[in-house]
């Protein structure tokens, strides 16, 4: 079976000074039940560097006003700052045009927006939507709802035991009936990276568009929209060291241009009369109401932070830390890693004997170790492995080998309690 | 660690390992599904209710040690008991778990179930301990829809 992902070549000399980085994240100094915090729940949300915290604080302290409204000074400042943030996100994603960057609340809203504004006009009875077996519920349910409404069919690309996307099977599912291919860039439950560029190229051959759930991809992987050539890409700011409540939908200009609005209200109009309303151009068309202005500005600060550390350096560091972690937790008796794809982001999903992940999570917490225990909003993935839940340690570039050692020690303690 | 010991007491670990009344009962005339969507704990409680009496009770499913031990101890506690008594015990158990941490525990009324008092230190786990009880209650009251802790 083919796994078509290639990671960009990494220069190991591009290492990062992790102790220096940790000083930028105040929460990492917190004590949890008198223990030093070891935060491994980055897949759920990442911690925020001071630059992000200060950017939000600065906005509310000195710049706060509504955008695209007043002619007064602060409103202009706020509008400028918000649009500058959009521009920075556009650069970060290598979009062709800033109008391709739509601010949303998060990945979930972005996918729902596409299902609504692209899906409804373009998917009809008998059409097909393809997803993968390892999607987050937020990249399953909106498509199920759309299929139900339109009488379309949802097709699921299977995975192998390692948790890898079966490209050959995907190819077989594609047909002229396929209208949308919605896949994750990296699985939140397993860490598997999907070959977005190849998936997209093949989808385009069949006249389908691709929608990529980038929630777990953006923090770890190169996100060059022109290179990937996907049609839509969604991510959340808070998983990229930014604030909660802000996210991004990237959409190709010609697609967004043709799409009807998502929500109606202020900002998204050109002209309103009781006889009818004409809508604004993208991205404004999809941004009804006052947005999360401080969130957008905070997200810009997060992107600046990530760029200052260096995307390649981060990827190299995380890969090295992940390899160390896999070897270290391999020593824990009874531990089984779930998801062993060749190409993974730094996510360790595992079970330990027949001890339930929630019990593991509680005992780890008593040691100051924060992990996620549960089904990770990916129940079909859990069903594939026939486990009700897993423990997930998802790494970020501020994690250290010392913290991995703490995790391993705590896992031994779990075995002790449940011997 | 002392709070952890309080949570994972020997009896709880033992019931987790060898749960009592685990499986189906052929004579069951009530079956109820219980589900905790946040964490995925999922079980079925089967009952044979004869008049006002719970003559048989069993459970099956998957969940954490707390949910399993709680289900096991519950079945042991109310097997053969009048329905009214089971519902009363539910109230006492539920009250204990939702009370403040330093609230004294009424051992006499709760019997063995008092060992779950330690769960109060772990608010996220309270639903694990109460899932089987909510499910039993719904079964006794003949609910049709699956019980959810949400």
């Amino acid at each position: 079976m083919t796994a078509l992902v290639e990671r960009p070549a990494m220069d190991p000399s591009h290492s990062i000074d992790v102790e220096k980085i940790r000083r930028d994240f105040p929460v990492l100094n917190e004590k949890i039940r008198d223990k030093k915090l070891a935060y491994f729940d980055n897949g759920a949300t990442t911690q925020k560097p001071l630059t992000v915290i200060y950017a939000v604080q600065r906005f509310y302290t000195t710049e706060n006003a509504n955008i695209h409204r007043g002619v007064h000074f602060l409103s202009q400042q706020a509008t400028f700052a918000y649009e500058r943030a959009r521009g920075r996100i556009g650069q970060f994603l290598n979009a062709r045009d800033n109008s391709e960057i739509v601010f949303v609340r998060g990945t979930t809203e972005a996918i729902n927006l596409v299902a609504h504004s692209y899906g409804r006009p373009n998917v009809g009875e008998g059409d097909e939507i393809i997803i993968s077996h390892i999607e987050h519920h937020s990249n399953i349910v909106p498509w199920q709802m759309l299929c139900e409404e339109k009488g379309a069919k949802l097709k699921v690309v299977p995975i192998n035991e390692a948790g890898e996307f079966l490209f050959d099977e995907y190819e077989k599912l594609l047909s002229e009936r396929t209208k949308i291919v919605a896949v994750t860039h990296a699985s939140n439950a397993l860490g598997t990276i999907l070959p977005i560029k190849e998936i997209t190229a093949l989808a385009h051959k069949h006249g389908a568009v691709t929608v990529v759930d980038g929630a777990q991809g953006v923090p770890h992987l190169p996100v060059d929209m022109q290179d990937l050539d996907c049609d839509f890409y969604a991510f959340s700011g808070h998983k990229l060291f930014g604030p909660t409540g802000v996210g991004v939908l990237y959409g190709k200009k010609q697609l967004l241009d043709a799409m009807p609005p998502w929500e109606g209200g202020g900002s998204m109009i050109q002209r309103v009369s009781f006889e009818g309303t004409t809508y604004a151009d993208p991205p404004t068309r999809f941004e009804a109401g006052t947005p999360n202005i401080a969130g957008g500005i905070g997200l810009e600060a997060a992107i600046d932070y990530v760029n200052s550390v260096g995307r390649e350096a981060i990827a190299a560091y995380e890969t090295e830390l992940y390899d160390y972690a896999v070897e270290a937790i391999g020593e824990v008796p009874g531990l089984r890693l779930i998801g062993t794809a060749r190409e993974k982001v730094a996510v360790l999903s595992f079970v330990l004997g027949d001890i339930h992940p929630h019990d593991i999570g509680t005992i780890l917490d008593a040691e100051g170790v924060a992990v996620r225990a549960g089904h990770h909003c990916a129940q079909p993935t859990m069903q594939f492995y026939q486990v009700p839940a897993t423990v997930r340690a998802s790494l970020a570039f501020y994690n250290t080998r010392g913290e991995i050692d703490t995790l391993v020690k705590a896992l031994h303690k779990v075995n002790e309690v449940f011997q | 660690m002392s709070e952890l010991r309080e949570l994972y007491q020997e009896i709880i670990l033992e019931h987790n390992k060898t749960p009592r009344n685990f499986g189906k009962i052929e004579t069951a005339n009530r079956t109820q599904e219980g589900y905790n969507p946040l964490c995925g704990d999922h079980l079925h409680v089967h009952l044979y209710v004869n008049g006002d009496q719970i003559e048989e009770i069993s459970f099956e499913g998957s969940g954490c040690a707390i949910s399993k031990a709680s289900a096991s101890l519950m079945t042991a506690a109310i097997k053969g008991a009048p329905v009214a008594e089971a519902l009363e015990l539910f109230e006492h158990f539920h009250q204990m778990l939702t009370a403040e941490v330093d609230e004294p525990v009424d051992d006499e009324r709760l019997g063995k179930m008092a060992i779950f008092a330690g769960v109060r230190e772990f608010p996220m786990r309270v639903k694990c301990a109460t899932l089987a009880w909510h499910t039993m209650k719904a079964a006794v009251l003949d609910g049709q829809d699956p019980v959810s802790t949400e």
Side-chain angles (χ1 to χ4, degrees), chain A residues 3 5 14 19 52 66 87 89 98 152 156 168 193 204 233 273 282 321 330 346 364 368 389:
Chain A
V5 184
H14 277 203
E19 285 313 317
V52 169
N66 209 333
I89 295 161
N98 287 348
V156 181
D168 306 348
I193 301 170
H204 287 170
Y233 193 98
S273 74
L321 190 65
L364 295 187

Side-chain angles (χ1 to χ4, degrees), chain A residues 71-197:
Chain A
V71 292
H72 63 81
F73 180 79
L74 281 185
S75 178
Q76 291 172 45
Q77 288 290 98
T79 304
F80 175 76
Y82 194 63
E83 290 308 317
R84 187 191 56 211
R86 191 193 305 278
R88 185 77 89 254
I89 295 161
Q91 280 169 9
F92 179 72
L93 296 177
N94 193 25
R96 285 185 183 82
D97 194 297
N98 287 348
S99 68
E100 296 182 318
I101 307 300
V102 181
F103 277 117
V104 290
R105 278 184 297 149
T107 312
T108 299
E109 186 176 61
I111 295 170
N112 277 281
L113 194 165
V114 178
H116 178 277
S117 290
Y118 182 84
R120 279 179 156 180
N122 291 291
V123 175
E125 202 177 337
D127 284 343
E128 292 175 357
I129 295 171
I130 294 179
I131 62 172
S132 87
H133 198 112
I134 45 177
E135 297 306 317
H136 187 282
H137 294 166
S138 61
N139 203 25
I140 301 174
V141 182
W143 306 118
Q144 281 177 328
M145 290 163 70
L146 179 64
C147 285
E148 198 169 324
E149 183 187 320
K150 294 291 180 176
K153 274 198 203 108
L154 195 66
K155 299 274 176 177
V156 181
V157 179
I159 52 170
N160 62 17
E161 196 54 34
E164 288 168 315
F165 179 87
L166 295 179
F167 203 87
D168 306 348
E169 299 297 322
Y170 164 58
E171 198 161 2
K172 285 184 212 158
L173 288 179
L174 277 165
S175 73
E176 72 286 350
R177 288 187 302 274
T178 312
K179 292 292 177 283
I180 295 172
V181 176
V183 286
T184 187
H185 199 175
S187 146
N188 73 308
L190 306 177
T192 309
I193 301 170
L194 269 64
I196 297 302
K197 193 174 172 174

Side-chain angles (χ1 to χ4, degrees), chain B residues 10-150:
Chain B
E10 278 308 317
I11 302 178
I12 291 179
L13 292 172
E14 197 267 320
H15 274 262
N16 172 52
K17 217 172 210 174
T18 29
R20 317 294 191 272
N21 306 306
F22 191 79
K24 249 186 193 147
I25 34 177
E26 294 308 320
T27 51
N29 55 4
R30 310 270 173 88
T31 284
Q32 181 68 43
E33 183 181 10
Y35 185 52
N36 182 345
L38 273 187
C39 62
D41 288 345
H42 188 196
L43 52 78
H44 283 85
V45 172
H46 308 287
L47 292 156
Y48 174 60
V49 181
N50 190 7
D52 294 336
Q53 206 78 14
I54 298 174
E55 293 203 352
E56 290 289 337
I57 179 165
S58 74
F59 80 102
E60 58 184 336
S62 74
C64 63
I66 305 300
S67 73
K68 233 164 146 184
S70 172
S72 171
L73 278 152
M74 175 190 80
T75 58
I78 66 172
K79 194 175 189 171
V83 165
E85 207 173 282
L87 292 176
E88 203 184 326
L89 193 53
F90 168 90
E91 289 304 329
H92 294 316
F93 186 66
H94 193 256
Q95 254 171 36
M96 171 183 74
L97 284 173
T98 49
E100 296 293 324
V101 172
D102 48 7
E103 192 94 354
V105 173
D106 188 344
D107 290 18
E108 212 169 296
R109 281 184 154 160
L110 283 159
K112 269 191 179 172
M113 302 312 295
I115 60 163
F116 287 97
V119 177
R120 294 184 299 188
E121 294 277 357
F122 301 86
M124 302 298 286
R125 307 301 300 277
V126 167
K127 284 176 180 168
C128 309
T130 54
L131 176 63
W133 286 86
H134 280 293
T135 311
M136 177 278 292
K137 186 183 173 189
V140 164
L141 302 176
D142 215 5
Q144 291 300 314
D145 297 327
V147 175
S148 162
T149 52
E150 288 312 298

